[in-house]
C-alpha cells in the first residue's frame, strides 16, 4: 500500500473498481469500508448458512404438505438484508477492537480506523445504526427465532478476542458465521430439531476450512504481532486438515439432509460441492497470498451450489 493509494481513499485488499467507489460520495467511502461493502464475500458467506437452513426447512415443510413459497421468499430476503447489516456491524466492531493490531499488519493498516479516516466515535455510531437495521430484520421473525438470534450476540462479542487466547479463532468465527444454520429452520417452524443442528455444525467445519485458507495471507505479520490462527497452527499440514474439515462438512450436511427428508437433487448439489472442495485442496499454495484469497472467495460458489441443490429438490421432497 503506497501513500498515493492511501490518499486515494482505497483499502489495500479491496478491488478499486467496486461499486462503492463508483456510486457513493467520497465522504461515505470510509463507512462502506468499515462495513466491507466493497468486499461482499463476507456477507455472502454469512448468508449461505441462513439460506441453506431456510431451504432445508422448506424441504421438510414440503414433505409435510405445509410449504409456503411466499414465506420462504420473504425469509430469504430478510436473511439477505440481515447478513449485509450484521456482517457490516460485526466488521465495524472487529475493527474497533483490533485497531492497534490492524495498524501493525500490512494488509489492514489502510483500513479507515488505523489510517485515521474515521474516528472511534464515528465508527461506534455507524455500528449502532447497522445493529439497529439488524434488529429491525430480526423482529420480523417469530419469538423463538428472535430469542435465538439475540443469543448469537454472545458469540459475536467474543470472536474478535479469540485470536489473543486460542490457536482456533476460526472456530469462534464458525460459531458466529454459521448461526444462520439454526435461524432458517427456527424462522420456518418456531423450533429446532437435529436436522438444523447438524447443518449448523457442518457450516462451522466449512467456516474453519475456508477461513484457514484466508488466514494464510497474514501468517507472517500475525507471527510478528502475536496473533494466533489455524493457518499458523496447521502450517504445512493445512491440506490434510482441509480434507478433514471439508469432509466433516459434507458428512454433517448429509446427516441433516437425511433427517429433513430432502429431495434427491439436493444430494447432487453435495456431490458438486465435494468436487469444488477437492479442487480447492489440490490447488492450494499456502505461500501464495493472492491464490489463497481467490480460493477463499470460491467458497461463495460452494454455498450457492448447496443452496441451489436444496431449492431444486423441493418438488421431489
Amino acid at each position: 500500500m503506497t501513500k498515493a493509494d492511501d490518499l486515494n481513499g482505497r483499502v489495500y485488499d479491496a478491488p478499486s473498481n467496486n461499486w462503492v467507489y463508483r456510486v457513493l460520495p467520497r465522504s461515505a467511502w470510509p463507512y462502506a469500508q468499515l462495513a466491507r461493502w466493497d468486499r461482499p464475500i463476507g456477507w455472502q458467506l454469512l448468508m449461505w448458512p441462513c439460506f441453506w437452513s431456510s431451504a432445508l426447512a422448506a424441504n421438510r415443510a414440503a414433505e409435510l404438505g405445509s410449504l409456503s413459497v411466499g414465506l420462504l421468499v420473504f425469509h430469504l430476503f430478510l436473511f439477505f438484508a440481515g447478513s449485509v447489516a450484521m456482517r457490516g456491524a460485526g466488521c465495524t466492531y472487529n475493527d474497533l477492537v483490533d485497531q492497534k493490531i490492524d495498524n501493525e499488519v500490512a494488509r489492514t493498516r489502510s483500513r479507515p480506523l488505523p489510517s485515521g479516516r474515521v474516528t472511534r466515535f464515528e465508527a461506534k455510531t455507524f455500528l449502532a445504526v447497522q445493529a439497529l437495521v439488524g434488529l429491525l430484520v430480526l423482529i420480523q421473525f417469530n419469538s423463538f427465532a428472535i430469542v435465538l438470534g439475540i443469543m448469537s450476540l454472545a458469540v459475536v462479542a467474543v470472536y474478535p478476542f479469540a485470536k489473543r487466547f486460542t490457536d482456533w479463532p476460526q472456530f469462534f468465527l464458525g460459531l458466529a458465521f454459521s448461526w444462520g444454520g439454526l435461524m432458517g429452520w427456527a424462522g420456518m417452524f418456531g423450533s429446532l430439531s437435529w436436522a438444523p443442528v447438524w447443518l449448523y455444525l457442518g457450516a462451522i467445519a466449512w467456516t474453519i476450512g475456508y477461513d484457514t485458507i484466508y488466514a494464510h495471507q497474514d501468517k507472517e505479520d500475525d507471527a510478528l504481532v502475536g496473533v494466533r490462527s489455524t493457518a499458523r497452527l496447521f502450517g504445512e499440514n493445512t491440506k490434510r486438515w482441509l480434507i478433514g474439515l471439508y469432509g466433516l462438512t459434507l458428512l454433517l450436511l448429509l446427516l441433516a439432509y437425511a433427517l429433513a427428508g430432502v429431495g434427491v437433487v439436493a444430494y447432487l448439489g453435495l456431490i458438486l460441492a465435494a468436487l469444488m472442495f477437492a479442487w480447492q485442496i489440490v490447488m492450494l499454495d499456502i505461500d501464495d497470498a493472492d491464490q489463497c484469497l481467490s480460493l477463499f472467495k470460491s467458497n461463495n460458489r460452494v454455498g450457492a451450489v448447496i443452496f441451489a441443490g436444496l431449492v431444486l429438490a423441493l418438488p421431489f421432497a
Side-chain angles (χ1 to χ4, degrees):
M1 186 75 177
T2 67
K3 184 175 180 62
D5 290 329
D6 187 41
L7 290 174
N8 201 33
R10 307 296 206 272
V11 291
Y12 179 80
D13 57 348
S16 60
N17 63 345
N18 187 269
W19 69 270
V20 162
Y21 307 113
R22 299 194 309 270
V23 176
L24 297 182
R26 194 181 186 88
S27 59
W29 289 6
Y31 298 97
Q33 292 162 354
L34 276 176
R36 310 295 195 272
W37 293 343
D38 54 344
R39 281 165 285 181
I41 184 62
W43 66 255
Q44 290 164 348
L45 293 175
L46 179 63
M47 179 187 73
W48 288 126
C50 305
F51 274 33
W52 295 354
S53 187
S54 293
L56 187 75
N59 271 263
R60 180 59 178 162
E63 186 180 44
L64 297 173
S66 59
L67 174 62
S68 169
V69 175
L71 182 63
L72 173 62
V73 172
F74 179 55
H75 282 181
L76 293 178
F77 168 76
L78 290 176
F79 284 129
F80 160 72
S83 294
V84 174
M86 294 311 296
R87 190 263 183 150
C91 287
T92 305
Y93 171 66
N94 193 74
D95 283 4
L96 283 163
V97 172
D98 284 349
Q99 183 174 353
K100 291 182 179 179
I101 292 177
D102 285 346
N103 198 42
E104 300 298 324
V105 177
R107 188 178 59 82
T108 58
R109 66 170 58 104
S110 61
R111 289 177 178 175
L113 275 167
S115 66
R117 288 180 287 118
V118 167
T119 67
R120 291 185 66 83
F121 175 77
E122 290 168 338
K124 290 175 182 178
T125 302
F126 185 50
L127 167 61
V129 171
Q130 293 175 96
L132 178 60
V133 173
L135 177 62
L136 292 175
V137 169
L138 182 61
I139 61 176
Q140 305 306 309
F141 291 97
N142 59 63
S143 58
F144 181 86
I146 292 172
V147 172
L148 187 65
I150 293 173
M151 289 172 60
S152 71
L153 296 179
V155 181
V156 172
V158 171
Y159 165 66
F161 302 97
K163 55 179 158 296
R164 294 166 169 82
F165 64 80
T166 178
D167 291 323
W168 290 84
Q170 281 69 27
F171 170 70
F172 286 88
L173 178 67
L175 291 176
F177 251 55
S178 304
W179 200 267
L182 302 174
M183 290 295 296
W185 188 282
M188 183 76 71
F189 293 117
S191 64
L192 289 177
S193 71
W194 278 109
V197 170
W198 291 125
L199 186 144
Y200 174 59
L201 295 175
I204 292 173
W206 179 49
T207 304
I208 297 171
Y210 68 62
D211 203 61
T212 295
I213 295 174
Y214 183 83
H216 270 291
Q217 298 177 92
D218 299 330
K219 58 191 174 190
E220 288 83 8
D221 284 335
D222 286 349
L224 290 174
V225 299
V227 170
R228 301 158 76 174
S229 72
T230 49
R232 293 184 61 199
L233 178 65
F234 299 165
E236 297 298 326
N237 293 317
T238 292
K239 287 193 176 186
R240 294 179 183 177
W241 277 96
L242 288 177
I243 291 171
L245 288 165
Y246 284 160
L248 182 61
T249 298
L250 295 168
L251 176 61
L252 292 171
L253 291 182
L254 188 65
L255 288 172
Y257 284 16
L259 288 173
V262 302
V264 64
V265 179
Y267 294 96
L268 299 178
L270 276 188
I271 292 172
L272 184 53
L275 295 174
M276 297 170 79
F277 284 148
W279 175 79
Q280 288 183 39
I281 295 169
V282 169
M283 296 298 296
L284 178 64
D285 177 355
I286 62 173
D287 296 317
D288 185 337
D290 290 338
Q291 189 215 50
C292 286
L293 180 60
S294 178
L295 291 177
F296 162 74
K297 289 182 176 180
S298 73
N299 281 280
N300 180 48
R301 294 191 292 273
V302 174
V305 163
I306 292 174
F307 173 65
L310 285 165
V311 171
L312 293 174
L314 285 173
F316 307 97

